[in-house]
Amino acid sequence: MTLPTPEDPHSAPVWENYLVAQLTHAALGLLPERAVALGVQVENYDVTVHCQLSSVTAADQEDLAEIAGELATLVGDDVNIRIVYEVRQQPMLSPRDGVRWVYAARAEG
Protein backbone atom coordinates (compact mmCIF):
# COMPACT_ATOMS: atom_id res chain seq x y z
CA MET A 1 0.00 0.00 0.00
CA THR A 2 1.33 3.41 -0.90
CA LEU A 3 0.42 6.47 1.11
CA PRO A 4 -0.67 9.77 -0.41
CA THR A 5 1.91 12.47 -0.94
CA PRO A 6 1.59 16.14 -1.97
CA GLU A 7 2.57 15.18 -5.52
CA ASP A 8 0.21 12.19 -5.73
CA PRO A 9 -2.80 12.15 -3.40
CA HIS A 10 -3.90 8.70 -4.71
CA SER A 11 -7.41 8.16 -3.42
CA ALA A 12 -7.06 10.43 -0.38
CA PRO A 13 -10.36 12.12 0.49
CA VAL A 14 -9.27 15.55 -0.75
CA TRP A 15 -12.72 17.25 -0.65
CA GLU A 16 -13.48 15.90 2.83
CA ASN A 17 -10.06 16.93 4.13
CA TYR A 18 -10.54 20.38 2.63
CA LEU A 19 -13.82 20.77 4.52
CA VAL A 20 -12.17 19.60 7.75
CA ALA A 21 -9.54 22.30 7.34
CA GLN A 22 -12.12 24.96 6.50
CA LEU A 23 -14.32 24.02 9.48
CA THR A 24 -11.30 24.26 11.75
CA HIS A 25 -10.59 27.74 10.39
CA ALA A 26 -14.25 28.81 10.58
CA ALA A 27 -14.48 27.78 14.25
CA LEU A 28 -11.45 29.80 15.37
CA GLY A 29 -12.55 31.94 18.30
CA LEU A 30 -16.19 30.89 17.86
CA LEU A 31 -16.35 27.44 19.46
CA PRO A 32 -19.02 27.61 22.17
CA GLU A 33 -17.68 27.36 25.73
CA ARG A 34 -19.87 24.34 26.42
CA ALA A 35 -18.77 22.46 23.28
CA VAL A 36 -17.40 19.01 24.00
CA ALA A 37 -16.96 17.96 20.34
CA LEU A 38 -17.11 19.49 16.86
CA GLY A 39 -16.99 17.74 13.52
CA VAL A 40 -18.16 17.71 9.93
CA GLN A 41 -19.98 15.13 7.84
CA VAL A 42 -19.53 15.46 4.08
CA GLU A 43 -21.73 14.04 1.34
CA ASN A 44 -20.71 15.80 -1.85
CA TYR A 45 -22.16 19.32 -1.61
CA ASP A 46 -24.21 18.53 1.51
CA VAL A 47 -22.22 19.34 4.64
CA THR A 48 -23.41 18.85 8.20
CA VAL A 49 -21.58 20.45 11.10
CA HIS A 50 -22.01 18.32 14.23
CA CYS A 51 -21.56 19.82 17.67
CA GLN A 52 -21.90 18.11 21.02
CA LEU A 53 -22.44 20.51 23.94
CA SER A 54 -22.80 19.99 27.67
CA SER A 55 -25.80 22.37 27.53
CA VAL A 56 -27.20 24.73 24.93
CA THR A 57 -27.83 28.46 25.29
CA ALA A 58 -28.95 31.08 22.81
CA ALA A 59 -25.34 32.31 22.67
CA ASP A 60 -24.17 28.80 21.75
CA GLN A 61 -26.71 28.65 18.93
CA GLU A 62 -25.51 32.05 17.69
CA ASP A 63 -21.89 30.84 17.79
CA LEU A 64 -22.81 27.74 15.77
CA ALA A 65 -24.70 29.85 13.23
CA GLU A 66 -21.67 32.11 12.92
CA ILE A 67 -19.40 29.08 12.40
CA ALA A 68 -21.75 27.91 9.62
CA GLY A 69 -21.66 31.38 8.08
CA GLU A 70 -17.87 31.51 8.18
CA LEU A 71 -17.70 28.03 6.66
CA ALA A 72 -20.08 29.09 3.88
CA THR A 73 -17.85 32.06 3.13
CA LEU A 74 -14.82 29.77 2.89
CA VAL A 75 -16.35 27.04 0.70
CA GLY A 76 -18.78 28.98 -1.50
CA ASP A 77 -22.47 29.14 -2.27
CA ASP A 78 -22.75 25.73 -3.95
CA VAL A 79 -22.26 23.92 -0.63
CA ASN A 80 -25.35 23.27 1.52
CA ILE A 81 -24.42 23.64 5.19
CA ARG A 82 -26.56 22.64 8.11
CA ILE A 83 -25.84 22.38 11.82
CA VAL A 84 -26.96 19.69 14.22
CA TYR A 85 -26.18 19.58 17.89
CA GLU A 86 -26.82 17.29 20.79
CA VAL A 87 -26.42 17.64 24.52
CA ARG A 88 -23.73 15.38 26.03
CA GLN A 89 -21.59 15.75 29.11
CA GLN A 90 -18.62 14.01 27.46
CA PRO A 91 -17.67 13.66 23.80
CA MET A 92 -19.03 10.56 22.09
CA LEU A 93 -16.97 9.95 18.95
CA SER A 94 -16.82 6.97 16.66
CA PRO A 95 -14.75 6.24 13.57
CA ARG A 96 -17.92 4.69 12.09
CA ASP A 97 -20.34 7.59 12.57
CA GLY A 98 -19.37 9.30 9.30
CA VAL A 99 -18.28 12.46 11.09
CA ARG A 100 -14.75 13.81 10.84
CA TRP A 101 -14.18 15.19 14.31
CA VAL A 102 -11.89 18.21 14.59
CA TYR A 103 -12.33 18.97 18.30
CA ALA A 104 -12.99 16.89 21.39
CA ALA A 105 -12.79 18.16 24.95
CA ARG A 106 -10.38 16.43 27.25
CA ALA A 107 -12.15 13.81 29.33
CA GLU A 108 -12.51 14.64 33.02
CA GLY A 109 -10.69 12.47 35.47
Side-chain angles (χ1 to χ4, degrees):
M1 177 172 104
T2 59
L3 297 175
T5 66
E7 295 80 25
D8 186 6
H10 297 288
S11 61
V14 176
W15 174 241
E16 291 85 352
N17 288 344
Y18 175 74
L19 284 166
V20 165
Q22 296 310 319
L23 173 63
T24 303
H25 182 74
L28 287 174
L30 297 174
L31 194 63
E33 282 184 42
R34 285 162 285 286
V36 296
L38 181 72
V40 64
Q41 187 173 15
V42 181
E43 294 185 27
N44 296 318
Y45 287 98
D46 295 322
V47 174
T48 304
V49 175
H50 290 264
C51 190
Q52 298 174 1
L53 303 110
S54 59
S55 64
V56 181
T57 66
D60 296 330
Q61 291 175 331
E62 289 175 17
D63 288 341
L64 291 172
E66 195 167 345
I67 289 170
E70 290 292 324
L71 183 58
T73 299
L74 293 167
V75 299
D77 295 332
D78 292 335
V79 178
N80 305 308
I81 299 171
R82 71 182 189 110
I83 297 177
V84 297
Y85 60 86
E86 60 183 311
V87 176
R88 297 196 166 278
Q89 296 308 307
Q90 298 290 326
M92 186 169 154
L93 315 178
S94 169
R96 293 174 191 74
D97 61 11
V99 179
R100 294 169 185 269
W101 297 100
V102 300
Y103 169 78
R106 184 177 290 200
E108 303 280 327

